Amino acid sequence: MSRSAHPAGPRHADVLPEGHYAAPPVDLNALDPKVWAQTVDRNADGVVTVGGVDVNALAAQVGTPAYVLDEEDFRARARAWRTAFGHDADVFYAGKAFLSRAVVRWLDEEGLNLDVCSGGELATALSAGLAADRIAFHGNNKTPAEIRRAVEAGVGRIVLDSFQEIVRVAHLARELGRRQRVQIRVTVGVEAHTHEFIATAHEDQKFGIPLADGQAAEAVRRALQLDSLELIGIHSHIGSQIFDMSGFEVAAHRVVGLLKDVRDEHGVELPEIDLGGGLGIAYTSGDDPREPHEIAKALTEIVTRECESAKLRTPRISVEPGRAIVGPTTFTLYEVGTVKALEGLRTYVSVDGGMSDNIRTALYDAEYSVALASRTSDAEPMLVRVVGKHCESGDIVVKDAFLPADLAPGDLIAVPATGAYCRSMASNYNHALRPPVVAVRDGEARVIVRRESEEDLLRLDVG
Ligand SMILES: *Cc1c(COP(=O)(O)O)cnc(C)c1O
């Protein structure tokens, strides 16, 4: 087969450009359940459906691009975490992954707590009616106004991140006549991402108070002396998109070491330990994430074992999954605008969104999958790069993927696993209007965050 016979793009391994793509999948129409939300399927016409609604109907109803969220899947994942950790542990959903009032209500109903890290996230949670004592407030530079609001609202815990903040929170709490529950975030010297983790030398970051040089012990000393603070535990968060439990093992060992030192010095056994979030999800078929029950079992065993050997009562554990709950629930639906074949190089598929709705590819070199959603096709696989419509050549959504060679303008394509850190990191670059989030369940689609309008943009422009 000669290349010139296929002007739409290169087809064979011997003419594929360099990149880290796998071989084309056997069936381009198949939807790997690893990367797609639970209720995603194709109907008899070959159209992708989610929650019983097909994407052509969705596009007609809300337009494209759009984030399409499988509500049943979100609830099932939240519940799986809740159930896996049982009554002796708390699950805090990390709101920064994606937060809206509907999400807060689902969490409330499924028995999860919530992490926020800004006044805006706190306001969203409170306005959706979540009890303040189920909220944890994070961040390395909370403003005095944010702290005041959190203490006034009665948040369940503030996670202290610096010596200045210990004093600041204590001062504001005293002024408000409150005793604020707090944890101290420590840096355990472990950084974990995806398949590998590195111990030592990772104190060099803005979050947390280092364990290594005794600073964390000093922070505990100071917090225990302040009457307006109730120190309930130690917090550690080691990274993101982690598949390997060994980083948590080292983190738990070191945090329990601190708990033991605190007991020996102050005669106090701190009742809680928070191991953070960071559990990985499948963005492509090559990723193998762990199930919540495996994670719960592993973490509980690690902490119990460490405490037994330190002769401490096992503290209450909390975890803070963000991506692992919301990431897989959502796909982004785009319409194809152009298909540009560069002979001998690659084929560029331009969609009606891009780095303004998914910055992760540009920011982290993230990998994604993609499928033709508005129909099936028997055409042969074509290696493509899915790009956005922004004035930036790094505006890439999916770096290397296979789509059918008959892909054409007007087709809808869907990029799965975009529930975390996509809408929440979306921007107005090029004055793009941020896409809506549509929750689909039982045959019904409900907009939970509406599409931005030009009026929204112009409202801020008061010059
Ligand atoms: C970001 C973050 C999380 C959530 O991370 P995921 O990778 O989304 O699970 C949890 N805890 C803290 C403190 C964080 O900063």
Side-chain angles (χ1 to χ4, degrees):
M1 224 182 287
S2 80
R3 269 159 54 188
S4 56
H6 299 278
R11 307 298 205 283
H12 290 296
D14 58 333
V15 297
L16 294 180
E18 277 184 40
H20 41 267
Y21 40 83
V26 183
D27 178 5
L28 273 186
N29 298 314
L31 303 166
D32 183 349
K34 247 201 229 179
V35 296
W36 294 89
Q38 273 172 34
T39 74
V40 169
D41 203 353
R42 283 187 193 271
N43 66 17
D45 298 327
V47 183
V48 168
T49 65
V50 54
V53 181
D54 80 69
V55 295
N56 293 339
L58 277 169
Q61 184 184 335
V62 302
T64 55
Y67 302 102
V68 183
L69 187 158
D70 181 344
E71 181 181 338
E72 203 49 61
D73 191 35
F74 185 100
R75 287 175 179 274
R77 288 177 198 277
R79 213 174 300 139
W81 278 87
R82 186 66 284 228
T83 310
F85 279 89
H87 294 294
D88 300 326
D90 296 301
V91 182
F92 286 77
Y93 168 76
K96 71 178 198 254
F98 171 64
L99 194 66
S100 79
R101 288 195 273 206
V103 163
V104 175
R105 282 185 219 109
W106 301 337
L107 294 169
D108 196 358
E109 287 164 19
E110 302 298 343
L112 275 73
N113 298 342
L114 177 69
D115 271 0
V116 300
C117 59
S118 72
E121 289 182 0
L122 178 61
T124 302
L126 294 174
S127 82
L130 186 67
D133 65 358
R134 286 171 57 189
I135 300 174
F137 194 30
H138 282 266
N140 66 302
N141 188 17
K142 309 168 191 78
T143 66
E146 286 172 325
I147 295 168
R148 179 180 289 275
R149 185 146 179 223
V151 174
E152 268 175 349
V155 298
R157 63 180 64 162
I158 295 181
V159 181
L160 303 171
D161 195 273
S162 66
F163 286 102
Q164 283 94 341
E165 201 170 71
I166 295 172
V167 176
R168 214 171 274 159
V169 173
H171 176 74
L172 283 162
R174 191 170 55 229
E175 214 177 271
L176 293 164
R178 302 287 180 92
R179 185 147 195 259
Q180 177 62 50
R181 287 158 65 90
V182 295
Q183 290 188 337
I184 291 174
R185 175 161 174 175
V186 302
T187 326
V188 294
V190 167
E191 186 168 276
H193 293 291
T194 312
H195 300 285
E196 89 285 0
F197 88 95
I198 310 158
T200 78
H202 283 276
E203 278 94 14
D204 189 4
Q205 54 153 310
K206 71 170 186 168
F207 293 111
I209 299 177
L211 263 183
D213 55 3
Q215 285 199 55
E218 177 59 21
V220 169
R221 221 166 275 140
R222 294 191 194 177
L224 285 174
Q225 280 167 5
L226 294 160
D227 292 340
S228 57
L229 301 183
E230 180 188 352
L231 181 63
I232 57 168
I234 301 297
H235 180 284
S236 151
H237 172 73
I238 56 172
S240 220
Q241 187 58 4
I242 304 165
F243 293 122
D244 178 350
M245 299 305 284
S246 49
F248 288 103
E249 190 134 12
V250 177
H253 174 74
R254 294 185 181 172
V255 169
V256 171
L258 176 62
L259 294 182
K260 183 170 176 287
D261 292 347
V262 169
R263 192 250 342 253
D264 294 346
E265 183 180 340
H266 306 280
V268 175
E269 289 197 27
L270 297 178
E272 294 192 21
I273 171 173
D274 189 320
L275 292 171
L279 285 314
I281 63 164
Y283 284 101
T284 70
S285 296
D287 294 327
D288 282 307
R290 287 170 180 244
E291 295 294 323
H293 67 87
E294 297 175 88
I295 295 161
K297 187 163 176 283
L299 291 183
T300 310
E301 277 175 9
I302 293 167
V303 173
T304 307
R305 192 179 60 229
E306 291 294 332
C307 288
E308 267 167 17
S309 74
K311 299 196 165 47
L312 285 166
R313 274 193 303 275
T314 304
R316 189 173 177 87
I317 298 173
S318 27
V319 287
E320 307 175 313
R323 185 195 315 270
I325 292 178
V326 73
T329 66
T330 301
F331 61 79
T332 312
L333 189 64
Y334 298 105
E335 184 176 310
V336 173
T338 69
V339 180
K340 190 184 285 182
L342 302 183
E343 190 64 20
L345 292 172
R346 68 178 83 244
T347 297
Y348 283 88
V349 173
S350 293
V351 295
D352 49 357
M355 63 192 296
S356 57
D357 59 71
N358 186 348
I359 191 68
R360 293 191 64 260
T361 307
L363 196 58
Y364 310 122
D365 223 5
E367 287 186 44
Y368 281 95
S369 320
V370 60
L372 173 56
S374 48
R375 61 185 174 92
T376 50
S377 166
D378 295 328
E380 52 189 311
M382 153 174 86
L383 180 70
V384 302
R385 178 160 289 178
V386 179
V387 296
K389 58 180 281 154
H390 295 284
C391 305
E392 184 86 39
S393 45
D395 173 24
I396 299 167
V397 179
V398 188
K399 211 165 170 190
D400 298 297
F402 290 91
L403 283 170
D406 64 351
L407 190 77
D411 280 331
L412 300 178
I413 62 174
V415 174
T418 57
Y421 307 108
C422 287
R423 180 60 181 78
S424 68
M425 287 182 148
S427 79
N428 290 119
Y429 181 44
N430 292 138
H431 283 199
L433 304 171
R434 286 176 295 175
V437 181
V438 190
V440 187
R441 187 189 191 189
D442 296 336
E444 258 177 65
R446 183 165 64 99
V447 173
I448 59 169
V449 179
R450 73 161 166 77
R451 186 183 303 284
E452 231 164 9
S453 65
E454 286 177 3
E455 296 85 86
D456 290 329
L457 278 185
L458 292 172
R459 200 169 295 144
L460 301 179
D461 189 333
V462 294

